[in-house]
């Protein structure tokens, strides 16, 4: 059987949810009202993109991405703003595909709406354990050889973790509520983030982060209200298998390791003109604002 046949079936089933679905050599097009979601696959991922009009500064969309689940804002090499999502093909279920398409639909309907005041992590009842601690311990035993460790539980549903990358360590936070498992890695925070937030490089770094989001699978860079740069990854708790948990940990660890240094460089450009002149050309590509 064609490996893409289950995905074709899931896409066709979206017609019962109000979507017009067409398939071709370039993947699928999902149309609803005036919006079109484009979907395609590669060797490991099913990915979606939905072009939207950019009417706000880049920082707005990075802050809005923090309030989204299953999708994010991104910017392609031509400067087009996108709502974007990716799913790993491993163990991919119809429910995961449909949840993601509906998340994109909700996001586009709220596009450019005023930002809500929401916490940085999903709310949870502290006396309810949404993900069993013994299961988490088992999952992490399989990751210890990759540099992962558990620092301490923060609550019944929040954990402070540690990832030792080849070049530097990272503090990582994992939270659960009734619906979601939610990874968060602070990349730029505290006084360094506050200084960047007030600097002349603010828009330039925001444009860079949106451009990087287009290149990431499953994860996203976001901003909080204090200008902290966070790397996030979320997935439905009901679909959190051991394989998907392992892959989510590996994914966020790899992107933290790959991009943390570049984020720091971009945040400090106005402090060192010589540093800016030494940047690789690819860090400057596509950073100009496109309205």
């Amino acid at each position: 059987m064609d490996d893409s046949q289950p995905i074709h079936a899931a896409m066709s089933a979206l017609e019962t949810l109000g979507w017009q679905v067409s398939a071709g050599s370039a993947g699928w097009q999902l149309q609803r009202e005036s919006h079109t979601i484009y979907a395609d696959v590669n060797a490991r991922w099913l990915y979606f993109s939905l072009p939207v009009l950019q009417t706000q500064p880049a920082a707005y969309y990075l802050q809005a991405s923090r309030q989204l689940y299953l999708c994010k804002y991104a910017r392609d090499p031509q400067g087009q703003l996108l709502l974007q999502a990716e799913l790993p093909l491993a163990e991919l279920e119809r429910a995961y595909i449909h949840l993601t398409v509906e998340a994109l639909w909700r996001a586009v309907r709220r596009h450019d709406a005023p930002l809500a005041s929401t916490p940085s992590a999903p709310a949870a009842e502290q006396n309810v354990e949404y993900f069993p601690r013994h299961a988490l311990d088992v999952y992490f035993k399989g990751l210890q050889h990759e540099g992962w460790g558990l620092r301490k539980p923060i609550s019944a549903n929040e954990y402070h973790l540690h990832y030792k990358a080849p070049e530097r360590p990272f503090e990582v936070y994992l939270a659960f509520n009734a619906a979601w498992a939610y990874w968060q890695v602070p990349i730029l925070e505290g006084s360094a983030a506050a200084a960047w937030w007030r600097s002349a490089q603010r828009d330039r770094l925001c444009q860079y982060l949106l451009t990087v989001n287009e290149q990431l699978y499953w994860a996203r860079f976001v901003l909080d209200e204090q200008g902290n740069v966070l790397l996030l990854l979320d997935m439905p708790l009901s679909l959190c298998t051991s394989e998907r948990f392992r892959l989510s940990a590996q994914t966020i660890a790899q992107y933290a390791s790959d991009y943390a240094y570049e984020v720091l460089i971009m945040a400090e450009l106005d402090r060192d003109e010589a540093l800016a002149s030494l940047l690789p050309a690819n860090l400057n590509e596509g950073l100009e604002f496109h309205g």
Side-chain angles (χ1 to χ4, degrees):
M1 183 177 69
D2 182 357
D3 289 342
S4 66
Q5 188 58 39
I7 301 176
H8 277 284
M11 295 294 186
S12 296
L14 286 167
E15 293 182 345
T16 64
L17 300 176
W19 293 91
Q20 295 180 344
V21 180
S22 59
S25 59
W28 298 267
Q29 290 187 26
L30 314 175
Q31 294 181 311
R32 191 171 179 180
E33 296 180 4
S34 61
H35 301 290
T36 302
I37 297 176
Y38 301 90
D40 204 351
V41 294
N42 60 22
R44 295 182 59 190
W45 302 92
L46 170 64
Y47 51 94
F48 303 86
S49 63
L50 197 170
V52 291
L53 181 65
Q54 181 170 348
T55 62
Q56 304 283 351
Y60 170 93
Y61 298 110
L62 291 164
Q63 290 176 323
S65 289
R66 180 168 167 253
Q67 301 178 4
L68 300 177
Y69 287 97
L70 299 179
C71 60
K72 63 194 172 189
Y73 280 102
R75 184 173 176 272
D76 73 14
Q78 290 71 48
Q80 173 66 55
L81 185 68
L82 307 168
L83 280 162
Q84 187 170 298
E86 305 84 24
L87 297 176
L89 294 183
E91 302 181 344
L92 185 58
E93 303 102 325
R94 178 181 297 193
Y96 207 172
I97 294 172
H98 287 191
L99 279 172
T100 302
V101 171
E102 288 303 304
L104 286 163
W105 175 242
R106 288 193 301 270
V108 75
R109 296 189 75 182
R110 288 190 53 81
H111 178 61
D112 284 344
L115 292 175
S117 177
T118 58
S120 59
E125 296 181 30
Q126 296 306 308
N127 60 340
V128 177
E129 187 180 63
Y130 291 106
F131 193 86
R133 172 63 188 273
H134 66 85
L136 189 64
D137 288 340
V138 171
Y139 286 3
F140 265 102
K141 283 182 180 178
L143 292 169
Q144 288 177 344
H145 71 285
E146 298 181 18
W148 283 95
L150 174 62
R151 286 209 185 278
K152 62 179 180 179
I154 299 173
S155 71
N157 297 293
E158 297 177 271
Y159 297 88
H160 183 185
L161 313 172
H162 179 76
Y163 173 67
K164 186 177 181 182
E167 294 185 357
R168 56 160 286 189
F170 291 93
E171 303 304 310
V172 183
Y173 300 89
L174 176 62
F176 301 97
N177 68 7
W180 303 101
Y182 184 93
W183 298 88
Q184 177 174 290
V185 184
I187 300 296
L188 184 66
E189 60 179 337
S191 59
W196 160 74
W197 193 242
R198 296 190 301 266
S199 78
Q201 295 299 326
R202 174 172 167 172
D203 188 63
R204 191 175 189 182
L205 178 55
C206 290
Q207 297 289 354
Y208 165 77
L209 293 173
L210 281 177
T211 301
V212 171
N213 274 354
E214 193 266 341
Q215 302 168 24
L216 302 186
Y217 289 96
W218 213 15
R220 63 192 184 274
F221 281 109
V222 307
L223 297 177
D224 67 13
E225 294 85 351
Q226 290 74 46
N228 297 315
V229 178
L230 310 172
L231 181 64
L232 305 184
L233 190 156
D234 57 68
M235 58 182 166
L237 187 59
S238 62
L239 302 176
C240 184
T241 64
S242 60
E243 172 61 20
R244 197 165 283 148
F245 185 91
R246 181 191 63 82
L247 181 58
S248 66
Q250 292 174 333
T251 298
I252 202 162
Q254 186 65 56
Y255 288 142
S257 181
D258 286 349
Y259 287 99
Y261 185 54
E262 290 188 4
V263 170
L264 181 60
I265 289 174
M266 295 299 296
E268 295 186 342
L269 286 183
D270 63 341
R271 297 173 57 183
D272 191 337
E273 293 183 2
L275 178 63
S277 68
L278 293 174
L279 277 176
N282 68 332
L283 281 186
N284 289 310
E285 289 177 0
L287 294 178
E288 298 81 18
F289 178 79
H290 288 69

